[in-house]
Amino acid sequence: MAEWTIERAADELLNRESRTRDGGRITDLWPELDLDTAYLVQDTLLGRKTGAGERVVGAKLGLTSHAKQQRMGIDSPLTGWLTDAMRLPAGEPVALDRMIHPRVEPEIVFTMGERLSGPDVTPERALGAVASVHAGFEVIDSRYRDFSFALPDVVADNASSCRFVVSPVSLPADALDLAAETCRLSVDGETVATATGAAVQGHPAAALALAANSLARRGLAIEAGWTVLTGGLTDAVFLGPGVTVTAEFGALGTLALTGAV
Ligand code: OOG
Ligand code: MG
């Protein structure tokens, strides 16, 4: 068997994605895959996608809430990339045929008005760079069997990114109390979880600052115009054909998503 390299790991994950097939943890086969190397895999994977014509439109945070950390068994937040191919229009059924085992999670989403470059970004400075705040959904899909991974695995896999939806309703950041913003998540009309914005790192702006500071360690910044997903407020829920997931936010409005039949 050929040796594991950054390129091979990126190709393995891309192959799983394009064949809609999951597989075992890469760290089981390549125990030397550490966090720094995993981010190089993530960037290589992104390079393959942009090389094929996709455009970077933002960044995502993952595992920023206790609910998500507990479910995935990993207590460290991470970042990943968003491309234009992942963006879905709000209100349309989501085609599931290219996905392995999709799950949906409600998130508070920022549109950036200014570039935000770490290190030492504070939540206050982060919020000052925001143009608007929105309700959103992330559809996550892991290229690992049963969403079972160690931190380097999920980092390499671009933080289980798959699709995202941003509500057309937007508010300026200073128009609402983001830590107190409520979210009720329901599946086919039945409430399954509730949370407030404080679920993500105490405040969504703290999550945004965390993203800027962690990207800065790799010489990267959050660019003006980008979309930033601040992380699932609640545990993610299964998305199947005909399943409707609704997130009722306090000030940010209600957003619903249905799996196409
Ligand atoms: C990892 C991605 C986590 C979030 O919002 O916490 C994430 C996973 O749960 O598979 O996107
Ligand atoms: Mg997410």
Side-chain angles (χ1 to χ4, degrees), residues 60-64 68 104-107 137-140 159-161 163 229-233 236:
K60 62 164 282 185
L61 283 131
L63 308 183
T64 46
K68 287 289 304 181
V104 186
E105 52 199 19
E107 305 207 11
F137 277 127
E138 182 174 23
V139 179
I140 52 171
S160 309
S161 68
R163 305 279 189 275
L229 305 186
T230 57
L233 293 162

